[in-house]
């Protein structure tokens, strides 16, 4: 477990998620420290990460969303060697395991679409070896509470969190942090 990152999220439980260059510019002046990068390409990601690091941000790249990279361990190797990213976000357990082996912090992302996805989460979260588990959508406090108690990993709630009430509900239910692309949520 990445204790330093866990402590940082206790102090700043709102994670900024950026999906374009406008979001990148907007987040640079926010007081929140952790940023999930949800866009970019093999060409642009080094510069995106560099801008965030210059602003003293802890940067996670969603490797599944990068253009020009396949879902293979070599993509993680490229990211580790070509950027100063602190970690990755991925729905693919082998990529999470590779990132952990390279010393990157890791977030295993999963979409809870139905009861089958929910049942498989505990197994895949453990197999991934991730530092954190991110669930989408994040507006299910009852489920967040159950998962936070059952998983041995800190939980990040993401998706559809639109206001202070949603954020408080997710954190009160047991999420260690929330992630949002909504700029109004960044300012909470």
């Amino acid at each position: 477990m990445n204790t330093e990152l866990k402590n940082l999220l206790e102090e700043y439980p709102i994670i900024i998620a950026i999906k374009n260059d406008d979001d990148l510019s907007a987040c640079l002046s926010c007081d929140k420290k952790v940023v999930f990068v949800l866009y970019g390409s093999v060409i642009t990601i080094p510069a995106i990460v560099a801008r965030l690091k210059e602003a003293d941000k802890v940067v996670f790249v969603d490797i599944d969303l990068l253009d020009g990279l396949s879902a293979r361990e070599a993509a993680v190797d490229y990211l580790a060697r070509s950027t100063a990213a602190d970690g990755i976000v991925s729905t693919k357990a082998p990529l999470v395991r590779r990132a952990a082996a390279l010393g990157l912090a890791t977030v295993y992302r999963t979409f809870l679409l139905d009861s089958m996805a929910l049942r498989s989460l505990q197994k895949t979260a453990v197999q991934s070896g991730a530092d954190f588990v991110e669930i989408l959508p994040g507006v299910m406090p009852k489920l967040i509470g159950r998962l936070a108690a059952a998983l041995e990993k800190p939980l990040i709630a993401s998706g559809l969190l639109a206001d202070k009430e949603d954020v408080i509900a997710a954190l009160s239910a047991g999420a260690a942090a929330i992630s949002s692309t909504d700029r109004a949520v960044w300012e909470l």
Side-chain angles (χ1 to χ4, degrees), residues 36-166:
F36 285 1
V37 179
L38 308 180
Y39 78 108
S41 71
V42 66
I43 303 298
T44 61
I45 198 63
I48 293 167
V49 172
R51 280 190 70 193
L52 290 164
K53 295 303 288 181
E54 287 169 7
D56 199 30
K57 304 294 185 187
V58 175
V59 182
F60 284 75
V61 175
D62 187 325
I63 199 159
D64 301 342
L65 299 178
L66 285 182
D67 288 336
L69 294 174
S70 63
R72 301 193 186 268
E73 290 181 359
V76 179
D77 293 347
Y78 166 79
L79 192 66
R81 290 182 185 146
S82 301
T83 75
D86 299 285
I88 71 156
V89 177
S90 182
T91 60
K92 296 166 179 63
L95 299 186
V96 170
R97 282 192 299 275
R98 178 61 181 165
L102 294 174
L104 295 171
T106 55
V107 176
Y108 176 71
R109 171 179 279 176
T110 189
F111 296 87
L112 296 178
L113 303 174
D114 56 24
S115 58
M116 284 180 25
L118 182 59
R119 282 192 299 274
S120 71
L121 173 59
Q122 285 184 308
K123 180 177 139 186
T124 55
V126 169
Q127 289 175 341
S128 75
D131 294 311
F132 299 86
V133 174
E134 180 184 29
I135 62 164
L136 290 97
V139 290
M140 305 175 290
K142 189 174 179 181
L143 187 54
I144 290 169
R146 287 196 333 230
L147 287 172
L151 294 175
E152 296 177 9
K153 313 277 183 192
L155 193 65
I156 300 169
S158 301
L160 303 177
L161 298 159
D163 55 30
K164 186 175 184 177
E165 184 180 335
D166 291 340

